[in-house]
Each structure stands twice: as structure tokens, then as C-alpha cells.
Amino acid sequence: MKRSRVVLGVVLAPSALPLAYALFALLFSSYAIEAPEHLDQFLLGLLAMAIVCYAASYVLGAPVIACLLLARRLTCLPCIGLSILVGAAGGAAAYKYYLRDSGEIVVAALLGGCAALLVAAVFCTIAGVPWKSAPAGAAA
């Protein structure tokens, strides 16, 4: 992996979730183009979502990447798997903190895990993270 691709992945991967939401909202809903003031609210919502995604990705995802790099285990499966677990825990913790009700905490955990799956998959694709680690003799 090249360092420039990893940096590019870190910079671009958190934007995957807001871009996916915008794409699906524009393709499957007429909300954004229905009335003039709806587009402003839609774009403001996208901006807010992007800010939250970048903050969550750097707070929750950076330690995962750093630990995997230090352990020399940065491959797709551990990266995506740990990201899903951390994203699910982050989604459940945020839900519990802000709403103080455990009614739909499982849904919040599932949404956090799905969001982390998307961001981690985009990061692995952009950064060129290998699927499997190289055999021990291949490093020589």
C-alpha cells in the first residue's frame, strides 16, 4: 500500500455515506426538488450528515486503522469486521446518550454497523488494502 492512497482513503471514505444518501434520495424521492425551500433543507441536511460522518470516522475509525497498522494486520476482513463492531457500538452509545431510552438501541447499532461497513469498504478500496496478508516468505 502506498501512503498517498491511504491518505486519500482517509480523506474521501467518510464522504461515502452522505453521497450514498444523496444519490438514493434524489433517485427515489422527489423531496429535494418538490419545492424551492426543500432543496435548501436537503443540502443543509447533507452538510450536517457529512460533518457527523467525518467526525465519527476519525474518532472511531482512526484507532481501528492505527491498531491494525501497528499489528501489521491491515487487510480487508479485519478492517471491515472491526469497523462494523466499532460502528455498531458507536451507534448504540450515541443512541443511549442522546435519547436515554433503550427501545430501539438494536436498530441504532445495526445502522451504525451498516454505516461503518460502507465507509470501511470504500476506505479499503481507495487505499488499496489487500484482501489477504502476504505469505511469510514473500516479504524477502
Side-chain angles (χ1 to χ4, degrees), residues 60-71:
L60 299 175
V64 170
I65 301 300
C67 289
L68 288 173
L69 279 173
L70 289 175

Side-chain angles (χ1 to χ4, degrees), residues 85-102 104-113:
L85 291 175
V86 170
Y95 182 86
K96 187 75 171 167
Y97 178 78
Y98 286 110
L99 296 180
R100 301 192 196 285
D101 180 24
S102 60
E104 294 90 17
I105 199 163
V106 174
V107 175
L110 286 172
L111 290 174

Side-chain angles (χ1 to χ4, degrees), residues 33-95:
I33 54 176
E34 204 170 84
E37 54 277 346
H38 285 195
L39 184 60
D40 295 341
Q41 291 179 359
F42 178 72
L43 293 177
L44 186 62
L46 275 179
L47 178 65
M49 183 187 289
I51 290 169
V52 169
C53 284
Y54 271 92
S57 291
Y58 293 146
V59 169
L60 299 175
V64 170
I65 301 300
C67 289
L68 288 173
L69 279 173
L70 289 175
R72 299 188 184 276
R73 300 273 187 224
L74 185 59
T75 58
C76 281
L77 187 60
C79 181
I80 292 173
L82 285 175
S83 296
I84 290 172
L85 291 175
V86 170
Y95 182 86

